[in-house]
Amino acid sequence: MNFNPKPPRKRSAHDWMDYLRESDGLGGILAKTEDLAKLKVVINLALTKLDLGHLSSKIEAGWRSGSQDELFLLVNSASIATRLQQILPSLINELAISGLPCKTIKVRIKPAPSAWEVKPRLEVREKPKGLNEVAKKSWESLLEKLGPDSGLRSSIEKLLKNKPK
């Protein structure tokens, strides 16, 4: 049994970065990631000029989808969000000086992951078997106020008869 020999490879191995840049699907992801990394550096420089460089590690930045002039800053705490809200005009000016023009900046607080876990109940509750004393007295007082030919009166009488304590 004779097999045809393999054709010689005409392609050589590419560097993985070349592959990411050429690929249709991954190239867009790589470009967006590089843009976000550059954005993070520019924001860090602007915050450092405003004496708030220590906050840059606590901020996640991103553009609003479809718009390159509205910047979103996600932070973990309300105190950081408040501090950023106070300096937004200065931050917009510093970003424009750095070559990153944006018209608006929105600061949002990231929702914190829940620290508690919902567990199923271990004990099964008993269903009430009748009316308690307060409910029974309340129904009886309503029954006394109703006329003898009332449809509601007959329903309440059935309730009191079928739900004994």
Side-chain angles (χ1 to χ4, degrees), residues 121-140:
R121 287 189 181 148
L122 299 177
E123 78 279 349
V124 178
R125 289 186 182 175
E126 281 189 39
K127 292 184 179 179
K129 295 181 180 174
L131 298 174
N132 62 23
E133 285 301 314
V134 175
K136 189 173 183 181
K137 285 180 185 177
S138 178
W139 282 114
E140 287 173 349

Side-chain angles (χ1 to χ4, degrees), residues 13-84:
H14 291 289
D15 183 33
W16 65 276
M17 289 296 286
D18 293 335
Y19 175 74
L20 289 177
R21 285 188 182 98
E22 291 174 5
S23 172
D24 291 333
L26 296 177
I29 295 171
L30 178 67
K32 189 171 266 193
T33 305
E34 288 173 346
D35 289 344
L36 287 176
K38 290 175 187 174
L39 175 65
K40 183 77 175 170
V41 169
V42 171
I43 289 174
N44 184 17
L45 289 174
L47 287 172
T48 304
K49 287 181 182 177
L50 296 171
D51 293 328
L52 293 172
H54 62 282
L55 294 180
S56 65
S57 64
K58 299 172 182 156
I59 298 172
E60 291 180 30
W63 294 107
R64 181 176 181 207
S65 58
S67 174
Q68 287 292 324
D69 60 352
E70 188 173 41
L71 188 63
F72 276 91
L73 301 178
L74 293 175
V75 296
N76 290 328
S77 69
S79 61
I80 296 172
T82 304
R83 186 65 183 121
L84 287 174

Side-chain angles (χ1 to χ4, degrees), residues 62-114:
W63 294 107
R64 181 176 181 207
S65 58
S67 174
Q68 287 292 324
D69 60 352
E70 188 173 41
L71 188 63
F72 276 91
L73 301 178
L74 293 175
V75 296
N76 290 328
S77 69
S79 61
I80 296 172
T82 304
R83 186 65 183 121
L84 287 174
Q85 288 286 352
Q86 293 170 349
I87 61 146
L88 281 183
S90 301
L91 184 60
I92 291 172
N93 288 339
E94 285 298 326
L95 292 175
I97 292 169
S98 299
L100 186 73
C102 66
K103 293 180 184 174
T104 58
I105 297 177
K106 298 215 176 181
V107 180
R108 299 285 186 248
I109 300 172
K110 286 192 290 188
S114 63

